[in-house]
Amino acid sequence: MCGIVGYYGKRNVPEVVLNGLKTLEYRGYDSSGMAFAGKNGLSIIKSVGKIKELEEKFKNNPINGTVGIGHSRWATHGVPSEVNAHPHIDCKNKIAVVHNGIIENFMELKNELIAKGHKFVSDTDTEVIVHLIEDNYTDNFEEAFKKSVPLLRGAFAIAVICADCPDTIFFARMKSPLVIGIGRGETFLASDVVAFLDYAREVVYIDNGQLGFIKKGKISMFDFDGNPIKYKTSMVLWDAEMAKKNGYKYFMLKEIYEQPECLAKTINGTIRNNDFYLPNFNIPVEHLKKIRRISIVACGTAYHAGFLGKYFIEELAKLPVDIDVASEFIYREPIISDDTLFIAISQSGETADTKEAVVKARKFGVKTVAVTNVVGSSITREVDGVIYTNAGFEKGVAATKSFTTQVLVMYVIALYLAKIREMISEETLLEYISELSSISQKIEIILQHKNIENIKMIARMYQNCRDFLFLGRNVNYPLALEGALKLKEISYIHAEGYAAGEMKHGPIALIDENCPVVVIMTKSKLYEKVISNVKEVAARKGLVIGIASEGDDTAKTVVKNLIKIPDASPYVSAILSVIPLQLLSYYIADVRGCDIDQPRNLAKSVTVE
Ligand code: M6R
């Protein structure tokens, strides 16, 4: 989704802004632009398409300034075009604004401003901000900014510069992320810390309802009523290396390979000395003992992790679990009693629907917990407790390591609740906990050369198929959904995930000799039933690709292509089985020549509803 960069400091300003925009490319965008203010006034450059096109344009028209702002736009109001790309400027060409989010009252404001004589050139909601500030600006720009921001409704992170104050960047936030980076003699503003990780690790997370300015590097912050605010700084633990590809063709592949390490870190962040270690969970054990229901909400891949959590919690902790996609949850009439524990899962912690779901859940007086990967993200400020997934910075749009670490955290939550509710013996609990230490090594086995070559071969075989089906039962059903999502988002092949037992109720009609069917058929209590489902597919000439446990001799007799994973409990197997699904999607997309890290129309984190 849209990205913002701002810079004041001793370096070459356009270079820093451009580099920041390049780092934010992973968020997804369709056009970009930069504005600089300096002794020659305000200068702007914009382009449609990739940042490299903006860079080319800039080379032919090198503009500069003492402060700069940049933006990558993911179109909401108005088609991707230069006119609609940010920055937007006022009628006198003095003020420039970049904005993430949606201004809900833009039509109302626009009509008022047009009536006052302002000329609008774009179809965007953003342009209203700059004319509004212009309208309030007589002699004090700071006051004009402070007066204008509270008049905006909706979600916004904005950065503004003005030719009359070429040493200052103005900013404001309501619901869309914005963070300040403090370097040595230089200050950054961005929608995401990765934009400045190369230069600064000390950060100030701007909160909802805060505005301010960075003047000659000095930060001043206020609430929307103009009252000064003391801000806190914190240190980012991620390093800039995480935002680099390190020789991998795509970030997605690098992140698939990082999973053994990430999972080890997540285990270390949740379990120590064979006991639970949940330092930010903040829900008292006495309260947890009284919990009678769990409600889980998330979007996309995070929803699939939550769906697995439902199986884990119901089976291990014997608690009923509701699971919803956040965009549905926020607009239905859920019945939530105060003995419910609400869990929101979000890698970024910035997904608008998931954040709104937390706000809605809180109205029922329930305790809320976030499972997220990003320290300081918006969701962490909305909930009672947090469990971090410790996956490190995930740049590939297709979620990989965030998924496996989320699944692991859901498993830890299930075991923790099982222990508190005395639904598990000490011995079994220790057995499950000790199994966790083997996960990383088992994933390393899946990532061995011969296994990768097998998956590549399968990818080449099926690269031109039009449709794929993914099947699984029990914990392998959410994995079938995740496998299908991964394939469609990066390879653009149509794919559907189904509960294998549902096949005969409709989808089996799709099976023919051109339809690959990926079946997750690892050893489980439903194994025999899955084998029957595989036979049903094979009898209709379907091309079965099976993901099975090592040592399973039946599997190879019933499937066309087999991918083996190390044997494990069904819970750990759920984490292992997704790795071949990620790899299969990756290699199919790669052989089809797709831009894997920047799939069309997708944004890494969806910060608008
Ligand atoms: O940051 P979040 O976990 O809240 O993001 C949720 C989804 O947007 C995300 O998982 C999306 O489905 C991914 N592109 C899947 O690969």
Side-chain angles (χ1 to χ4, degrees), residues 220-437:
S220 303
M221 269 167 73
F222 307 86
D223 64 21
F224 281 7
D225 293 327
N227 304 308
I229 290 173
K230 273 199 180 151
Y231 59 85
K232 276 197 304 211
T233 64
S234 44
M235 295 304 289
V236 180
L237 299 176
W238 293 352
D239 66 41
E241 280 314 296
M242 285 179 175
K244 306 205 165 93
K245 275 193 241 171
N246 294 346
Y248 288 92
K249 187 168 176 188
Y250 288 102
F251 279 104
M252 181 181 174
L253 190 61
K254 173 181 173 242
E255 288 159 6
I256 289 173
Y257 274 82
E258 281 172 353
Q259 288 177 107
E261 191 191 335
C262 299
L263 284 157
K265 282 189 183 154
T266 308
I267 294 166
N268 190 44
T270 50
I271 301 224
R272 300 228 173 134
N273 301 323
N274 285 332
D275 205 353
F276 297 96
Y277 170 74
L278 303 168
N280 304 299
F281 193 57
N282 295 340
I283 315 286
V285 169
E286 283 318 307
H287 183 85
L288 290 174
K289 280 186 178 160
K290 291 185 209 136
I291 290 297
R292 292 289 166 267
R293 195 165 201 94
I294 305 281
S295 172
I296 301 175
V297 166
C299 301
T301 287
Y303 169 78
H304 299 150
F307 202 171
L308 273 158
K310 173 181 167 75
Y311 283 92
F312 296 164
I313 295 169
E314 288 183 344
E315 194 163 312
L316 292 163
K318 312 284 180 224
L319 272 170
V321 180
D322 297 320
I323 166 98
D324 276 279
V325 284
S327 53
E328 283 300 310
F329 178 85
I330 53 183
Y331 292 112
R332 68 179 180 85
E333 300 297 329
I335 295 153
I336 303 182
S337 51
D338 58 7
D339 53 5
T340 302
L341 177 68
F342 183 86
I343 304 175
I345 310 174
S346 172
Q347 184 282 131
S348 60
E350 301 295 348
T351 300
D353 290 326
T354 313
K355 281 193 300 181
E356 280 307 312
V358 173
V359 173
K360 178 160 187 159
R362 278 205 332 234
K363 292 190 181 138
F364 292 91
V366 299
K367 293 275 184 212
T368 55
V369 172
V371 174
T372 185
N373 194 32
V374 183
V375 178
S377 57
S378 305
I379 210 164
T380 61
R381 283 171 265 166
E382 300 283 354
V383 289
D384 298 300
V386 182
I387 303 185
Y388 290 105
T389 45
N390 287 324
F393 176 45
E394 186 176 70
K395 205 166 181 183
V397 167
T400 52
K401 58 181 184 169
S402 64
F403 177 73
T404 41
T405 52
Q406 283 163 352
V407 175
L408 180 76
V409 167
M410 293 315 293
Y411 182 40
V412 169
I413 291 175
L415 290 173
Y416 183 51
L417 292 172
K419 180 185 170 183
I420 287 173
R421 291 168 51 75
E422 299 176 10
M423 294 293 168
I424 194 166
S425 70
E426 188 69 10
E427 197 191 347
T428 312
L429 180 62
L430 282 177
E431 233 172 72
Y432 285 147
I433 288 179
S434 96
E435 190 196 14
L436 294 179
S437 59

Side-chain angles (χ1 to χ4, degrees), residues 551-563:
D552 174 356
D553 293 329
T554 315
K556 62 172 178 268
T557 64
V558 291
V559 307
K560 185 168 165 65
N561 299 101
L562 192 60
I563 302 171

